[in-house]
Amino acid sequence: MADDIVALTRAELRREARDLIELATSEETVAELLRRGLDWLTRVVRFDLATLFLLREGKLVAVAARGPLASEQVRRHELKLTDFPTLRQALETRRARAFTHEDHAHGDGDPFDGVLDLPPGHSCMVVPLCAGERCYGLLTLDRTECETYPQAVVDLVEVYGQMLATSLQETEQKSTFERLHRREHEHARLLEAQLGGDEVGVLETSRSAAVRELARRGRQVAETETPVLVLGETGTGKERLARAVHRWSPRAEGPFVTLNCAAIPAGLLESELFGHVKGAFTGATRDRAGRFQMAHGGTLFLDEVGELPVELQAKLLRALQEKTFEPVGSDRTVRADVRILAATHVDLQKAIAERRFREDLYYRLSVFPLRLPPLRERLEDLPQLCAFLLEEQARRTGRRGVRVTPEGIARLAAYDWPGNIRELANALERATILSRKPELGAEAFDLPLRVPETVDGTVEAPPLQAGAVPTLEEVQRQHILRVLTLTQGRIYGPGGAAALLGLKPSTLQSRMKKLGIARLEQYVAK
């Protein structure tokens, strides 16, 4: 009879395992999972009472019960492990056990003593619920008949107990991931609020027509699920634009998760993207969620995607197309609802020609490209960018009220900014640290002046007089005279000679006196 029961339920057991894992990764609660587990047992083994106990601070606490003997008193029952060595032994050995009449006579006593009136020698089975390195609790089965459960049935229910424990582990991990995601999302939103989070305002109120058009197109694509590829030189603010697209999108309340593909060793990138299971590689001591799982319901921003190893690009392509993937070391398919934004300063067309980037992945990512102009092409935004970056720094450092004077803006505009907005932020922070005044003038910025270039890009050097090399003082004198002519003798103010030369007006006047440049009227246009 027992063999017939086992043969009948093996296929059901496999189906139930799949169903429970699916249930554990769905939106159902632990209570629903346990209810479903006890309901299925009624088709496998006879019992008058099936009780699920979970371990809590050295106690076994009943959380669910099924069968004719189930009652509210049973569902509130608690046991101290120290009072029941056989139950503690079942947890330690992780083996199910059916109790015989002799066990009842010489064992710990009935766990339901005082709650139920079960006859001496009644059928009883204890099944540990253990998965991985953790034991979650016990499943107890009791019958009023005095007949020992057959070993084949005990073995079957033991397997089911392992399966139920694995489902509990899945549910717990999913709950932990969601809690961490909510915490990270709330932290990110708080951080954005603390730092101003005004990327949207900077883009949409830009004085540059190209940037305003970029913001308009960004708003349009944000309403869709279309992948966006943000292009631009290093330091142009590609992540800020991606955050703005996320905040404009219907996913704005979801997480915004970032991964810099150039900052993580190639051997760890797959794990960072898709997660891994315990034992997948040396050092993988526990299951770990990847960025795709963290970004579920929100946006995943892949910065410097052009640096992604070729061997990983195929798996990324599949994740984009099917929204499914397998964590490293696992054969279980995970589904993630993620919107992808990517960015790179790499010429991807050139990378495709050199077989460093997959063409099919490029076309998947670049459905809607957005190209950020370099700072040298939007110098009219310098006042707004300086105010935004200084406010951002003030929230971090506590030093408020710092501003850049018109002379300082003129000095900043005379530089080419190869590092773009990132370099500007560094220059402002350096000036803020060194300056004792709240106003940052031209003298606060130690930057080289823009060097004129010829059509072919080479630096144009002034010609020397035949047979003569001018002294350094003479070169300085001639250069100051040319700048004074350009400014019509004006030393002070934005665009004045002092601002253009990166000097304090008093320093420039002192140098003019030393070099014999005395009268300014001759430089003023008549």
Side-chain angles (χ1 to χ4, degrees), residues 11 75 94 107 118 161 165 185 234 283 302 311 354 376 379 401 418 503 513 521:
R75 294 186 179 94
R94 300 187 171 208
L118 292 168
H185 181 49
T234 298
L302 299 177
E311 59 270 17
E354 296 173 352
R376 62 182 173 274
L379 292 176
L503 300 172
K513 184 177 181 181
E521 293 82 0

Side-chain angles (χ1 to χ4, degrees), residues 86-343:
T86 53
L87 299 184
R88 189 170 65 250
Q89 183 183 23
L91 289 170
E92 291 171 353
T93 61
R94 300 187 171 208
R95 297 305 306 268
R97 179 180 175 184
F99 288 87
T100 65
H101 180 73
E102 290 75 14
D103 293 324
H104 284 292
H106 305 289
D108 309 331
D110 186 356
F112 290 100
D113 190 25
V115 178
L116 296 173
D117 187 18
L118 292 168
H122 68 275
S123 300
C124 180
M125 187 193 313
V126 174
V127 184
L129 304 178
C130 300
E133 298 180 353
R134 182 173 172 187
C135 285
Y136 290 87
L138 285 171
L139 168 64
T140 62
L141 301 174
D142 293 275
R143 291 176 60 193
T144 56
E145 291 86 351
C146 297
E147 177 183 333
T148 303
Y149 281 110
Q151 188 60 42
V153 174
V154 174
D155 292 341
L156 178 67
V157 180
E158 180 181 279
V159 172
Y160 188 72
Q162 295 170 353
M163 185 178 68
L164 184 59
T166 301
S167 301
L168 282 169
Q169 185 180 52
E170 291 274 351
T171 304
E172 185 181 69
Q173 289 176 346
K174 177 175 178 290
S175 176
T176 300
F177 291 152
E178 290 178 345
R179 186 170 63 253
L180 288 173
H181 297 168
R182 285 194 299 270
R183 186 184 303 166
E184 289 175 1
H185 181 49
E186 290 168 2
H187 177 71
R189 292 179 67 85
L190 177 62
L191 188 61
E192 283 185 6
Q194 290 175 341
L195 297 180
D198 199 26
E199 295 94 345
V200 174
V202 171
L203 289 168
E204 294 190 310
T205 61
S206 169
R207 296 179 182 178
S208 166
V211 175
R212 290 197 304 273
E213 173 62 17
L214 185 72
R216 186 188 67 80
R217 296 180 65 221
R219 269 199 180 275
Q220 286 181 314
V221 73
E223 298 173 359
T224 72
E225 291 293 302
T226 303
V228 175
L229 181 62
V230 184
L231 303 170
E233 297 177 7
T234 298
T236 49
K238 295 186 286 295
E239 182 175 341
R240 290 182 184 274
L241 176 58
R243 285 186 180 276
V245 172
H246 170 71
R247 293 176 65 188
W248 287 326
S249 76
R251 294 175 177 261
E253 295 302 315
F256 180 85
V257 179
T258 67
L259 176 65
N260 189 321
C261 300
I264 297 173
L268 297 179
L269 262 175
E270 184 176 4
S271 171
E272 284 293 329
L273 270 173
F274 305 112
H276 64 253
V277 297
K278 179 183 176 182
F281 51 84
T282 302
T285 57
R286 61 183 177 85
D287 292 356
R288 184 174 185 274
R291 304 299 172 95
F292 264 89
Q293 288 166 285
M294 292 179 181
H296 180 71
T299 302
L300 175 59
F301 175 59
L302 299 177
D303 198 8
E304 299 301 347
V305 72
E307 305 292 342
L308 198 67
V310 175
E311 59 270 17
L312 194 54
Q313 293 175 20
K315 190 167 183 178
L316 174 60
L317 180 63
R318 182 201 166 196
L320 295 180
Q321 292 174 335
E322 302 178 15
K323 294 187 179 295
T324 60
F325 58 90
E326 290 82 35
V328 177
S330 173
D331 58 0
R332 183 170 61 89
T333 298
V334 177
R335 179 170 295 276
D337 174 25
V338 175
R339 200 264 180 90
I340 294 292
L341 305 178

